Amino acid sequence: MDVHASVEENNTIDWDTEDEHEIENIPQTSKAASTSAGPSNVSLIQHFIGMGFPEKFVTKAIKKNGESDSDRILETILAYMDGHVSDEENVDIDSDTKDDLEIQNIASTSCSTFVNRNAAIISNGEASSSRGPSNLNTVQHFMDMGFPEELVTRAIKENEENDTEKILESLLTYSQMAPEELDTYHASSSQQQCVNYDELSSDYDESLLDGFSEDDSLSESEITDNQSLPENEQMLLSLASMGYTVEEASAAVARCGPNASIAELTDFITAAQMAKTEAAFFEEEKPKVFVNPKLKRKMYQEALKRKKQKGPLTEEEEVIRIPKPMIGFGVPSESRFVTHRTLPDAAIGRPYFYYENVALAPKGVWDTISRFLFDVAPEFVDSKYFCAAARKRGYVHNLPIDNRFPLLPMQPRTIHGALHVTKKWWPAWDKRTNLNCLQTAYGSAKNMDRLRKALEKWGDEPPDHVKKYVLDECRRWNLVWVGKNKLATLEPDEVEMLLGFPRNHTRGGGISRTDRYKSLGNSFQVDTVAYHLSVLKNLFPNGINVLSLFSGIGGAEVALHRLGVPLKNVVSVELSGANRDILRSWWEQTNQKGNLVHLDDVQKLHGDKLEELIGRYGGFDLVVGGSPCNNLAGGNRVSRDGLEGEQSSLFYDYFRILDTVKTIMNKPN
Ligand code: SAH
């Protein structure tokens, strides 16, 4: 539970990246459970009572430790709760046997059970573990243990009434959750009851996806009902439906003002086009226009509609399901392969494209992505088939799929194979063989310390509730055993290795450890991507020109290089300076013979620049990229808006740029 997480830890968590957390219902840190309450005595007492601890333990612990060190207070309270108090303290606290009984009841539910409980209930007496299982009694029984009535009734409803073990298990799960998580959990529990960590760290149950709905996806009526939009957005849409690009339309609106007529706006755009001064209007002088991501999608939908004469997706048309096992068209370790597929005509030919994003996106997202990317079906692959860590991703590409080959040497696919040092200390009861998805944030030292303390109280075989608490934390933070009772987060070097990057790829040059984790957590798993890109080696023996969008730390570049595909010209578009530095430095260290050009923002990359680059290099052979998944990934509780999220809508820029490149490259000279 997360009385164990500090505020500092909270702040470093980047929930943006990954798809695992939410699905796994891993206990999260609740603000209410943070230990940073102000030191005024009353509010401090209240703070711990609010976390579910009995008032007498709280006051006692504060008296013992003073008010300023809330961590120590918490440790002391936990010790009281676990019954690990010195004799003197025992005497001090209470000699009432009824209370003792209560304490024992509570202690048996582990130190990870005391979030959000109503402590007042604990002291209301009449606790007895021998009550019969008639509903009322069962309710009372668990309430006497300190669980709020509402949760108790829920837990009983979800389990057999006489299966008190299961009920207790549910209650423990609930009490590890923050209130908002609890709501999500209950809202989705009907679909998610089958969730179990082991399954999720390895295989994915497609039924889970049904729990996600793209709430604000656009209905047909929304798309056509532009009247409800603000006036200038209506104007933008009208321009889009006339065939102008988002950039042209928004620049024109910004330039001519919100009251301009359609005629004025189209005049402006045409004049700009005719005078071939797009650069002046749309580049240098381009006013900063914020294009609402929803509008962006609508405009592209309009463009697409004109192109394909297709309406928007309806619920029934949302068909893409995540396959199980998640091996795409095949992986080296499995004997099942698909070696042929028929691509839609519009997708065939140069440039090859390769788009990546998290597999477990909200409902409908992959349908939309696929639809935009010329109706190519995604290939879903879990990187656990390529390394010791899971990473479930979807890839839409038009590459051939036969004669693929893996990078050699292939990575070990078990934790022990990849991280030898851990084997010696790994307890038999930790059954993990794979790591979960590598994240952008890692557990804190404090957390490791708490785990050590929790384990040190027991011998080699801690009780089940301690095991559960420890394993939950291990899975949540990808912890590995590095000593007796000693757990540790993965080092950035280890993450680099697991992801297939060279050692020290992200190290040095001023990048912080936190940023290393973040950049790595967002990157491609190189072996996986290389397997898909390997077909390019025979197609382009003399090297390729790559347009690399959202390059990050260069997962695609590293993959191609390791495959032995010469990089002739790479135009890399990446917003983060730290990431650009990493790629540049790798480029130099690996003595690349080609050119690396850096641009910063995909939103600023328009037709004229693309035309120039295509002219300069004779076109691109590959347009590769994985746009940010911030609003798609399960871990993001704040904003899981689907493709309309501010970051995720950058997918439409991937599409726009690819589409423009195709158009320019297909233009007869
Ligand atoms: N595939 C990459 C990582 C992709 S993560 C790798 O292998 O490392 C998405 C990347 O998009 C991040 O590095 C982020 O900095 C970058 N990004 C976000 N907004 C961007 C924008 N507007 N233009 C270009 N890059 C952007």
Side-chain angles (χ1 to χ4, degrees), residues 522-524 550-553 555 574-576 579 600-602 626 628 650:
N522 282 322
S523 83
F524 287 164
F550 314 101
S551 309
I553 57 172
E574 168 56 49
L575 205 55
S576 147
N579 285 350
D600 59 359
D601 189 347
V602 294
L650 290 167

Side-chain angles (χ1 to χ4, degrees), residues 15-23 184 192 204 208-217 358-363 365 629-646 648:
W15 293 117
D16 286 347
T17 321
E18 262 326 311
D19 44 0
E20 316 286 334
H21 281 313
E22 183 162 300
I23 292 147
T184 323
Q192 301 204 6
Y204 167 68
L208 295 180
L209 205 66
D210 297 339
F212 306 143
S213 67
E214 201 182 358
D215 286 341
D216 53 4
S217 68
V358 289
L360 308 177
K363 200 169 176 181
V365 162
C629 52
N630 298 21
N631 315 97
L632 303 181
N636 189 342
R637 280 144 215 291
V638 182
S639 154
R640 199 165 191 257
D641 299 338
L643 278 178
E644 274 46 73
E646 195 180 336
S648 302

